[in-house]
Amino acid sequence: MSLPDLSDAQITGETWASDSLGVGRWERACLLTDLFPERGAAALFGTVQVALFRLPDDAAYGVHAGQVYAVQNLDPFSGAHVLSRGIVGTRAGEPTVAAPVYKQVFSLVTGKCLVTADKTPKENLPSDLATYPVRLCDGMVHVGLP
């Protein structure tokens, strides 16, 4: 049995007003069960590409076990929208994703670039990733957008 690859899927959303500080609106992304642990999936909300990562219920992830994180899908070092294809791991208990092109490592919690791998970001791009709040409601993943 093969599993569907959601990483290239365009997921259309449902929009409603936000009650969270810093969030302009919440968009429905997908079912939690659509996300495979330790694999990324890309979601497109208008012109905003987001990479979603579901962490496994594994003690190695500590307090982050079972959580879902959302960061920008744009890799600032390659200029490609590929972070959803990155490799999920941990550094000192913090969940991370390694970019698939040049292998920079980013925190999934803060978006901070932890390893630059002797590269610099493409012109005018910050080295850190934008992060987006995620909430789960009735088994549905919602992403907070500005």
Side-chain angles (χ1 to χ4, degrees):
M1 178 178 141
S2 66
L3 299 173
D5 183 1
L6 298 176
S7 60
D8 290 331
Q10 179 178 351
I11 303 168
T12 57
E14 172 182 300
T15 304
W16 68 92
S18 170
D19 55 357
S20 296
L21 203 60
V23 175
R25 66 187 195 278
W26 288 97
E27 294 274 353
R28 185 174 70 178
C30 61
L31 291 169
L32 178 63
T33 55
D34 290 337
L35 298 175
F36 299 104
E38 295 188 308
R39 289 190 61 193
L44 181 62
F45 304 103
T47 59
V48 178
Q49 287 194 35
V50 174
L52 295 166
F53 296 94
R54 178 182 175 189
L55 301 180
D57 289 322
D58 185 322
Y61 288 95
V63 297
H64 305 285
Q67 298 293 309
V68 176
Y69 290 95
V71 297
Q72 70 185 47
N73 197 31
L74 175 65
D75 175 359
F77 291 85
S78 70
H81 290 84
V82 295
L83 283 176
S84 61
R85 299 205 180 244
I87 300 168
V88 175
T90 61
R91 294 233 172 186
E94 186 168 1
T96 61
V97 61
V101 179
Y102 297 124
K103 310 302 183 220
Q104 286 77 26
V105 178
F106 302 93
S107 165
L108 286 175
V109 178
T110 65
K112 182 171 179 52
C113 181
L114 304 173
V115 176
T116 62
D118 296 328
K119 298 282 185 187
T120 56
K122 291 287 185 185
E123 66 270 353
N124 300 324
L125 293 175
S127 60
D128 297 336
L129 304 178
T131 61
Y132 302 94
V134 172
R135 72 179 183 189
L136 302 175
C137 184
D138 296 328
M140 185 67 64
V141 176
H142 301 269
V143 176
L145 299 172

PDB file of all heavy atoms in Angstrom, residues 11-20 22-31 45 133-146:
ATOM      1  N   ILE A  11      -3.555  22.941  -0.383  1.00  0.00           N
ATOM      2  CA  ILE A  11      -4.645  22.732   0.554  1.00  0.00           C
ATOM      3  C   ILE A  11      -5.398  24.035   0.685  1.00  0.00           C
ATOM      4  O   ILE A  11      -4.858  25.032   1.129  1.00  0.00           O
ATOM      5  CB  ILE A  11      -4.107  22.277   1.922  1.00  0.00           C
ATOM      6  CG1 ILE A  11      -3.276  21.007   1.750  1.00  0.00           C
ATOM      7  CG2 ILE A  11      -5.233  22.065   2.898  1.00  0.00           C
ATOM      8  CD1 ILE A  11      -2.476  20.629   2.956  1.00  0.00           C
ATOM      9  N   THR A  12      -6.623  24.041   0.273  1.00  0.00           N
ATOM     10  CA  THR A  12      -7.411  25.255   0.381  1.00  0.00           C
ATOM     11  C   THR A  12      -7.977  25.361   1.779  1.00  0.00           C
ATOM     12  O   THR A  12      -8.217  24.373   2.451  1.00  0.00           O
ATOM     13  CB  THR A  12      -8.550  25.270  -0.639  1.00  0.00           C
ATOM     14  OG1 THR A  12      -9.353  24.124  -0.447  1.00  0.00           O
ATOM     15  CG2 THR A  12      -8.005  25.293  -2.043  1.00  0.00           C
ATOM     16  N   GLY A  13      -8.159  26.542   2.219  1.00  0.00           N
ATOM     17  CA  GLY A  13      -8.537  26.739   3.607  1.00  0.00           C
ATOM     18  C   GLY A  13      -9.882  27.354   3.819  1.00  0.00           C
ATOM     19  O   GLY A  13     -10.561  27.790   2.896  1.00  0.00           O
ATOM     20  N   GLU A  14     -10.241  27.363   5.052  1.00  0.00           N
ATOM     21  CA  GLU A  14     -11.455  28.011   5.520  1.00  0.00           C
ATOM     22  C   GLU A  14     -10.979  29.120   6.445  1.00  0.00           C
ATOM     23  O   GLU A  14     -10.132  28.910   7.288  1.00  0.00           O
ATOM     24  CB  GLU A  14     -12.286  26.983   6.277  1.00  0.00           C
ATOM     25  CG  GLU A  14     -13.475  27.534   6.980  1.00  0.00           C
ATOM     26  CD  GLU A  14     -14.172  26.416   7.735  1.00  0.00           C
ATOM     27  OE1 GLU A  14     -14.609  25.448   7.098  1.00  0.00           O
ATOM     28  OE2 GLU A  14     -14.268  26.521   8.957  1.00  0.00           O
ATOM     29  N   THR A  15     -11.484  30.293   6.282  1.00  0.00           N
ATOM     30  CA  THR A  15     -10.991  31.450   7.015  1.00  0.00           C
ATOM     31  C   THR A  15     -12.021  31.927   8.023  1.00  0.00           C
ATOM     32  O   THR A  15     -13.197  31.950   7.735  1.00  0.00           O
ATOM     33  CB  THR A  15     -10.678  32.592   6.031  1.00  0.00           C
ATOM     34  OG1 THR A  15      -9.757  32.111   5.061  1.00  0.00           O
ATOM     35  CG2 THR A  15     -10.098  33.792   6.741  1.00  0.00           C
ATOM     36  N   TRP A  16     -11.538  32.294   9.188  1.00  0.00           N
ATOM     37  CA  TRP A  16     -12.388  32.984  10.139  1.00  0.00           C
ATOM     38  C   TRP A  16     -11.539  33.911  10.987  1.00  0.00           C
ATOM     39  O   TRP A  16     -10.325  33.789  11.022  1.00  0.00           O
ATOM     40  CB  TRP A  16     -13.214  32.023  10.984  1.00  0.00           C
ATOM     41  CG  TRP A  16     -12.445  31.193  11.952  1.00  0.00           C
ATOM     42  CD1 TRP A  16     -12.172  31.488  13.249  1.00  0.00           C
ATOM     43  CD2 TRP A  16     -11.866  29.918  11.704  1.00  0.00           C
ATOM     44  NE1 TRP A  16     -11.452  30.484  13.825  1.00  0.00           N
ATOM     45  CE2 TRP A  16     -11.250  29.496  12.894  1.00  0.00           C
ATOM     46  CE3 TRP A  16     -11.807  29.078  10.599  1.00  0.00           C
ATOM     47  CZ2 TRP A  16     -10.583  28.293  13.002  1.00  0.00           C
ATOM     48  CZ3 TRP A  16     -11.135  27.879  10.714  1.00  0.00           C
ATOM     49  CH2 TRP A  16     -10.551  27.503  11.892  1.00  0.00           C
ATOM     50  N   ALA A  17     -12.183  34.847  11.645  1.00  0.00           N
ATOM     51  CA  ALA A  17     -11.475  35.851  12.440  1.00  0.00           C
ATOM     52  C   ALA A  17     -10.747  35.197  13.602  1.00  0.00           C
ATOM     53  O   ALA A  17     -11.148  34.156  14.099  1.00  0.00           O
ATOM     54  CB  ALA A  17     -12.464  36.886  12.945  1.00  0.00           C
ATOM     55  N   SER A  18      -9.678  35.841  14.017  1.00  0.00           N
ATOM     56  CA  SER A  18      -8.854  35.304  15.083  1.00  0.00           C
ATOM     57  C   SER A  18      -9.161  35.974  16.405  1.00  0.00           C
ATOM     58  O   SER A  18      -9.500  37.141  16.466  1.00  0.00           O
ATOM     59  CB  SER A  18      -7.387  35.527  14.740  1.00  0.00           C
ATOM     60  OG  SER A  18      -6.600  35.229  15.862  1.00  0.00           O
ATOM     61  N   ASP A  19      -8.988  35.228  17.477  1.00  0.00           N
ATOM     62  CA  ASP A  19      -9.076  35.802  18.808  1.00  0.00           C
ATOM     63  C   ASP A  19      -7.716  35.768  19.490  1.00  0.00           C
ATOM     64  O   ASP A  19      -7.595  36.036  20.660  1.00  0.00           O
ATOM     65  CB  ASP A  19     -10.105  35.040  19.651  1.00  0.00           C
ATOM     66  CG  ASP A  19      -9.830  33.556  19.703  1.00  0.00           C
ATOM     67  OD1 ASP A  19      -8.877  33.096  19.050  1.00  0.00           O
ATOM     68  OD2 ASP A  19     -10.565  32.855  20.408  1.00  0.00           O
ATOM     69  N   SER A  20      -6.645  35.434  18.728  1.00  0.00           N
ATOM     70  CA  SER A  20      -5.307  35.358  19.285  1.00  0.00           C
ATOM     71  C   SER A  20      -4.500  36.583  18.896  1.00  0.00           C
ATOM     72  O   SER A  20      -4.585  37.056  17.768  1.00  0.00           O
ATOM     73  CB  SER A  20      -4.584  34.097  18.784  1.00  0.00           C
ATOM     74  OG  SER A  20      -5.244  32.955  19.250  1.00  0.00           O
ATOM     75  N   GLY A  22      -1.726  38.806  17.521  1.00  0.00           N
ATOM     76  CA  GLY A  22      -0.755  38.648  16.446  1.00  0.00           C
ATOM     77  C   GLY A  22      -1.233  37.798  15.293  1.00  0.00           C
ATOM     78  O   GLY A  22      -0.536  37.652  14.309  1.00  0.00           O
ATOM     79  N   VAL A  23      -2.399  37.218  15.408  1.00  0.00           N
ATOM     80  CA  VAL A  23      -2.952  36.394  14.343  1.00  0.00           C
ATOM     81  C   VAL A  23      -4.115  37.147  13.722  1.00  0.00           C
ATOM     82  O   VAL A  23      -5.065  37.502  14.411  1.00  0.00           O
ATOM     83  CB  VAL A  23      -3.420  35.015  14.865  1.00  0.00           C
ATOM     84  CG1 VAL A  23      -4.096  34.225  13.754  1.00  0.00           C
ATOM     85  CG2 VAL A  23      -2.246  34.247  15.446  1.00  0.00           C
ATOM     86  N   GLY A  24      -4.008  37.396  12.413  1.00  0.00           N
ATOM     87  CA  GLY A  24      -5.080  38.086  11.725  1.00  0.00           C
ATOM     88  C   GLY A  24      -6.245  37.184  11.411  1.00  0.00           C
ATOM     89  O   GLY A  24      -7.403  37.587  11.459  1.00  0.00           O
ATOM     90  N   ARG A  25      -5.905  35.939  11.085  1.00  0.00           N
ATOM     91  CA  ARG A  25      -6.962  34.984  10.756  1.00  0.00           C
ATOM     92  C   ARG A  25      -6.415  33.575  10.911  1.00  0.00           C
ATOM     93  O   ARG A  25      -5.214  33.348  10.861  1.00  0.00           O
ATOM     94  CB  ARG A  25      -7.456  35.199   9.336  1.00  0.00           C
ATOM     95  CG  ARG A  25      -6.403  34.895   8.265  1.00  0.00           C
ATOM     96  CD  ARG A  25      -6.896  35.282   6.867  1.00  0.00           C
ATOM     97  NE  ARG A  25      -6.085  34.688   5.825  1.00  0.00           N
ATOM     98  CZ  ARG A  25      -4.929  35.168   5.396  1.00  0.00           C
ATOM     99  NH1 ARG A  25      -4.428  36.240   5.938  1.00  0.00           N
ATOM    100  NH2 ARG A  25      -4.260  34.571   4.419  1.00  0.00           N
ATOM    101  N   TRP A  26      -7.309  32.649  11.128  1.00  0.00           N
ATOM    102  CA  TRP A  26      -6.951  31.235  11.186  1.00  0.00           C
ATOM    103  C   TRP A  26      -7.418  30.575   9.900  1.00  0.00           C
ATOM    104  O   TRP A  26      -8.538  30.797   9.464  1.00  0.00           O
ATOM    105  CB  TRP A  26      -7.616  30.549  12.386  1.00  0.00           C
ATOM    106  CG  TRP A  26      -7.014  30.964  13.688  1.00  0.00           C
ATOM    107  CD1 TRP A  26      -7.488  31.921  14.542  1.00  0.00           C
ATOM    108  CD2 TRP A  26      -5.833  30.449  14.286  1.00  0.00           C
ATOM    109  NE1 TRP A  26      -6.658  32.033  15.625  1.00  0.00           N
ATOM    110  CE2 TRP A  26      -5.634  31.142  15.502  1.00  0.00           C
ATOM    111  CE3 TRP A  26      -4.905  29.477  13.926  1.00  0.00           C
ATOM    112  CZ2 TRP A  26      -4.560  30.894  16.351  1.00  0.00           C
ATOM    113  CZ3 TRP A  26      -3.835  29.224  14.770  1.00  0.00           C
ATOM    114  CH2 TRP A  26      -3.669  29.931  15.968  1.00  0.00           C
ATOM    115  N   GLU A  27      -6.553  29.774   9.319  1.00  0.00           N
ATOM    116  CA  GLU A  27      -6.887  29.045   8.091  1.00  0.00           C
ATOM    117  C   GLU A  27      -6.864  27.544   8.378  1.00  0.00           C
ATOM    118  O   GLU A  27      -5.927  27.041   9.005  1.00  0.00           O
ATOM    119  CB  GLU A  27      -5.865  29.339   6.988  1.00  0.00           C
ATOM    120  CG  GLU A  27      -5.865  30.755   6.501  1.00  0.00           C
ATOM    121  CD  GLU A  27      -6.890  31.003   5.408  1.00  0.00           C
ATOM    122  OE1 GLU A  27      -7.519  30.039   4.933  1.00  0.00           O
ATOM    123  OE2 GLU A  27      -7.044  32.165   5.021  1.00  0.00           O
ATOM    124  N   ARG A  28      -7.860  26.851   7.913  1.00  0.00           N
ATOM    125  CA  ARG A  28      -7.896  25.401   8.047  1.00  0.00           C
ATOM    126  C   ARG A  28      -6.936  24.802   7.021  1.00  0.00           C
ATOM    127  O   ARG A  28      -7.026  25.093   5.830  1.00  0.00           O
ATOM    128  CB  ARG A  28      -9.319  24.892   7.802  1.00  0.00           C
ATOM    129  CG  ARG A  28      -9.450  23.410   8.055  1.00  0.00           C
ATOM    130  CD  ARG A  28     -10.868  22.970   7.949  1.00  0.00           C
ATOM    131  NE  ARG A  28     -11.279  23.055   6.548  1.00  0.00           N
ATOM    132  CZ  ARG A  28     -12.456  22.716   6.096  1.00  0.00           C
ATOM    133  NH1 ARG A  28     -13.369  22.287   6.928  1.00  0.00           N
ATOM    134  NH2 ARG A  28     -12.754  22.812   4.820  1.00  0.00           N
ATOM    135  N   ALA A  29      -6.001  23.961   7.498  1.00  0.00           N
ATOM    136  CA  ALA A  29      -4.982  23.399   6.607  1.00  0.00           C
ATOM    137  C   ALA A  29      -5.314  21.972   6.185  1.00  0.00           C
ATOM    138  O   ALA A  29      -5.370  21.670   4.990  1.00  0.00           O
ATOM    139  CB  ALA A  29      -3.612  23.425   7.277  1.00  0.00           C
ATOM    140  N   CYS A  30      -5.521  21.090   7.145  1.00  0.00           N
ATOM    141  CA  CYS A  30      -5.746  19.677   6.829  1.00  0.00           C
ATOM    142  C   CYS A  30      -6.135  18.946   8.108  1.00  0.00           C
ATOM    143  O   CYS A  30      -6.116  19.524   9.193  1.00  0.00           O
ATOM    144  CB  CYS A  30      -4.475  19.053   6.240  1.00  0.00           C
ATOM    145  SG  CYS A  30      -3.065  19.092   7.363  1.00  0.00           S
ATOM    146  N   LEU A  31      -6.457  17.697   7.960  1.00  0.00           N
ATOM    147  CA  LEU A  31      -6.697  16.855   9.125  1.00  0.00           C
ATOM    148  C   LEU A  31      -5.360  16.496   9.758  1.00  0.00           C
ATOM    149  O   LEU A  31      -4.363  16.307   9.042  1.00  0.00           O
ATOM    150  CB  LEU A  31      -7.424  15.573   8.739  1.00  0.00           C
ATOM    151  CG  LEU A  31      -8.867  15.708   8.285  1.00  0.00           C
ATOM    152  CD1 LEU A  31      -9.362  14.392   7.689  1.00  0.00           C
ATOM    153  CD2 LEU A  31      -9.750  16.126   9.451  1.00  0.00           C
ATOM    154  N   PHE A  45      -1.720  29.140   1.269  1.00  0.00           N
ATOM    155  CA  PHE A  45      -2.820  30.014   1.663  1.00  0.00           C
ATOM    156  C   PHE A  45      -2.675  31.296   0.858  1.00  0.00           C
ATOM    157  O   PHE A  45      -1.877  32.166   1.229  1.00  0.00           O
ATOM    158  CB  PHE A  45      -2.766  30.323   3.158  1.00  0.00           C
ATOM    159  CG  PHE A  45      -2.765  29.091   4.026  1.00  0.00           C
ATOM    160  CD1 PHE A  45      -1.592  28.643   4.615  1.00  0.00           C
ATOM    161  CD2 PHE A  45      -3.926  28.378   4.241  1.00  0.00           C
ATOM    162  CE1 PHE A  45      -1.587  27.516   5.419  1.00  0.00           C
ATOM    163  CE2 PHE A  45      -3.937  27.239   5.032  1.00  0.00           C
ATOM    164  CZ  PHE A  45      -2.765  26.815   5.621  1.00  0.00           C
ATOM    165  N   PRO A 133       1.590  30.233  14.322  1.00  0.00           N
ATOM    166  CA  PRO A 133       0.923  29.446  15.368  1.00  0.00           C
ATOM    167  C   PRO A 133       0.013  28.387  14.744  1.00  0.00           C
ATOM    168  O   PRO A 133      -0.523  28.587  13.648  1.00  0.00           O
ATOM    169  CB  PRO A 133       0.123  30.489  16.153  1.00  0.00           C
ATOM    170  CG  PRO A 133      -0.026  31.657  15.242  1.00  0.00           C
ATOM    171  CD  PRO A 133       1.142  31.616  14.286  1.00  0.00           C
ATOM    172  N   VAL A 134      -0.092  27.288  15.449  1.00  0.00           N
ATOM    173  CA  VAL A 134      -0.932  26.175  14.992  1.00  0.00           C
ATOM    174  C   VAL A 134      -1.881  25.824  16.122  1.00  0.00           C
ATOM    175  O   VAL A 134      -1.501  25.834  17.296  1.00  0.00           O
ATOM    176  CB  VAL A 134      -0.063  24.936  14.653  1.00  0.00           C
ATOM    177  CG1 VAL A 134      -0.936  23.726  14.360  1.00  0.00           C
ATOM    178  CG2 VAL A 134       0.848  25.243  13.478  1.00  0.00           C
ATOM    179  N   ARG A 135      -3.102  25.532  15.782  1.00  0.00           N
ATOM    180  CA  ARG A 135      -4.035  25.007  16.776  1.00  0.00           C
ATOM    181  C   ARG A 135      -4.800  23.853  16.149  1.00  0.00           C
ATOM    182  O   ARG A 135      -5.024  23.810  14.929  1.00  0.00           O
ATOM    183  CB  ARG A 135      -4.947  26.078  17.335  1.00  0.00           C
ATOM    184  CG  ARG A 135      -6.016  26.587  16.417  1.00  0.00           C
ATOM    185  CD  ARG A 135      -6.852  27.635  17.116  1.00  0.00           C
ATOM    186  NE  ARG A 135      -7.933  28.082  16.251  1.00  0.00           N
ATOM    187  CZ  ARG A 135      -8.704  29.102  16.520  1.00  0.00           C
ATOM    188  NH1 ARG A 135      -8.541  29.777  17.623  1.00  0.00           N
ATOM    189  NH2 ARG A 135      -9.666  29.434  15.697  1.00  0.00           N
ATOM    190  N   LEU A 136      -5.170  22.938  17.026  1.00  0.00           N
ATOM    191  CA  LEU A 136      -5.932  21.773  16.598  1.00  0.00           C
ATOM    192  C   LEU A 136      -7.345  21.910  17.136  1.00  0.00           C
ATOM    193  O   LEU A 136      -7.545  22.259  18.294  1.00  0.00           O
ATOM    194  CB  LEU A 136      -5.295  20.493  17.127  1.00  0.00           C
ATOM    195  CG  LEU A 136      -3.846  20.254  16.714  1.00  0.00           C
ATOM    196  CD1 LEU A 136      -3.291  19.024  17.409  1.00  0.00           C
ATOM    197  CD2 LEU A 136      -3.750  20.109  15.206  1.00  0.00           C
ATOM    198  N   CYS A 137      -8.298  21.645  16.272  1.00  0.00           N
ATOM    199  CA  CYS A 137      -9.701  21.740  16.674  1.00  0.00           C
ATOM    200  C   CYS A 137     -10.464  20.603  15.998  1.00  0.00           C
ATOM    201  O   CYS A 137     -10.524  20.549  14.760  1.00  0.00           O
ATOM    202  CB  CYS A 137     -10.270  23.096  16.270  1.00  0.00           C
ATOM    203  SG  CYS A 137     -11.959  23.364  16.809  1.00  0.00           S
ATOM    204  N   ASP A 138     -10.977  19.685  16.785  1.00  0.00           N
ATOM    205  CA  ASP A 138     -11.739  18.545  16.266  1.00  0.00           C
ATOM    206  C   ASP A 138     -10.949  17.772  15.214  1.00  0.00           C
ATOM    207  O   ASP A 138     -11.505  17.378  14.181  1.00  0.00           O
ATOM    208  CB  ASP A 138     -13.085  19.007  15.687  1.00  0.00           C
ATOM    209  CG  ASP A 138     -13.990  19.612  16.742  1.00  0.00           C
ATOM    210  OD1 ASP A 138     -13.912  19.170  17.913  1.00  0.00           O
ATOM    211  OD2 ASP A 138     -14.764  20.519  16.404  1.00  0.00           O
ATOM    212  N   GLY A 139      -9.668  17.568  15.477  1.00  0.00           N
ATOM    213  CA  GLY A 139      -8.827  16.781  14.565  1.00  0.00           C
ATOM    214  C   GLY A 139      -8.358  17.537  13.340  1.00  0.00           C
ATOM    215  O   GLY A 139      -7.725  16.964  12.466  1.00  0.00           O
ATOM    216  N   MET A 140      -8.666  18.835  13.264  1.00  0.00           N
ATOM    217  CA  MET A 140      -8.274  19.662  12.126  1.00  0.00           C
ATOM    218  C   MET A 140      -7.126  20.579  12.531  1.00  0.00           C
ATOM    219  O   MET A 140      -7.146  21.153  13.619  1.00  0.00           O
ATOM    220  CB  MET A 140      -9.474  20.498  11.665  1.00  0.00           C
ATOM    221  CG  MET A 140      -9.249  21.309  10.413  1.00  0.00           C
ATOM    222  SD  MET A 140      -9.029  20.333   8.913  1.00  0.00           S
ATOM    223  CE  MET A 140     -10.618  19.535   8.779  1.00  0.00           C
ATOM    224  N   VAL A 141      -6.130  20.707  11.636  1.00  0.00           N
ATOM    225  CA  VAL A 141      -4.999  21.595  11.859  1.00  0.00           C
ATOM    226  C   VAL A 141      -5.339  22.968  11.283  1.00  0.00           C
ATOM    227  O   VAL A 141      -5.729  23.071  10.118  1.00  0.00           O
ATOM    228  CB  VAL A 141      -3.716  21.041  11.190  1.00  0.00           C
ATOM    229  CG1 VAL A 141      -2.563  22.022  11.345  1.00  0.00           C
ATOM    230  CG2 VAL A 141      -3.365  19.673  11.758  1.00  0.00           C
ATOM    231  N   HIS A 142      -5.165  24.006  12.104  1.00  0.00           N
ATOM    232  CA  HIS A 142      -5.407  25.380  11.689  1.00  0.00           C
ATOM    233  C   HIS A 142      -4.112  26.165  11.850  1.00  0.00           C
ATOM    234  O   HIS A 142      -3.395  25.988  12.838  1.00  0.00           O
ATOM    235  CB  HIS A 142      -6.493  26.036  12.545  1.00  0.00           C
ATOM    236  CG  HIS A 142      -7.796  25.316  12.486  1.00  0.00           C
ATOM    237  ND1 HIS A 142      -8.764  25.625  11.575  1.00  0.00           N
ATOM    238  CD2 HIS A 142      -8.274  24.291  13.222  1.00  0.00           C
ATOM    239  CE1 HIS A 142      -9.803  24.816  11.758  1.00  0.00           C
ATOM    240  NE2 HIS A 142      -9.524  24.000  12.753  1.00  0.00           N
ATOM    241  N   VAL A 143      -3.815  27.024  10.883  1.00  0.00           N
ATOM    242  CA  VAL A 143      -2.607  27.844  10.909  1.00  0.00           C
ATOM    243  C   VAL A 143      -3.032  29.300  11.063  1.00  0.00           C
ATOM    244  O   VAL A 143      -3.907  29.783  10.325  1.00  0.00           O
ATOM    245  CB  VAL A 143      -1.782  27.654   9.616  1.00  0.00           C
ATOM    246  CG1 VAL A 143      -0.573  28.581   9.603  1.00  0.00           C
ATOM    247  CG2 VAL A 143      -1.352  26.199   9.476  1.00  0.00           C
ATOM    248  N   GLY A 144      -2.377  29.993  12.008  1.00  0.00           N
ATOM    249  CA  GLY A 144      -2.641  31.412  12.213  1.00  0.00           C
ATOM    250  C   GLY A 144      -1.760  32.252  11.307  1.00  0.00           C
ATOM    251  O   GLY A 144      -0.549  32.116  11.320  1.00  0.00           O
ATOM    252  N   LEU A 145      -2.375  33.097  10.515  1.00  0.00           N
ATOM    253  CA  LEU A 145      -1.640  33.961   9.586  1.00  0.00           C
ATOM    254  C   LEU A 145      -1.825  35.419   9.996  1.00  0.00           C
ATOM    255  O   LEU A 145      -2.850  35.783  10.574  1.00  0.00           O
ATOM    256  CB  LEU A 145      -2.143  33.743   8.160  1.00  0.00           C
ATOM    257  CG  LEU A 145      -1.962  32.327   7.618  1.00  0.00           C
ATOM    258  CD1 LEU A 145      -2.663  32.174   6.278  1.00  0.00           C
ATOM    259  CD2 LEU A 145      -0.494  31.972   7.487  1.00  0.00           C
ATOM    260  N   PRO A 146      -0.816  36.255   9.695  1.00  0.00           N
ATOM    261  CA  PRO A 146      -0.936  37.675  10.087  1.00  0.00           C
ATOM    262  C   PRO A 146      -2.062  38.378   9.351  1.00  0.00           C
ATOM    263  O   PRO A 146      -2.510  37.978   8.325  1.00  0.00           O
ATOM    264  CB  PRO A 146       0.424  38.257   9.714  1.00  0.00           C
ATOM    265  CG  PRO A 146       1.139  37.237   8.911  1.00  0.00           C
ATOM    266  CD  PRO A 146       0.406  35.948   9.027  1.00  0.00           C
TER     267      PRO A 146
END
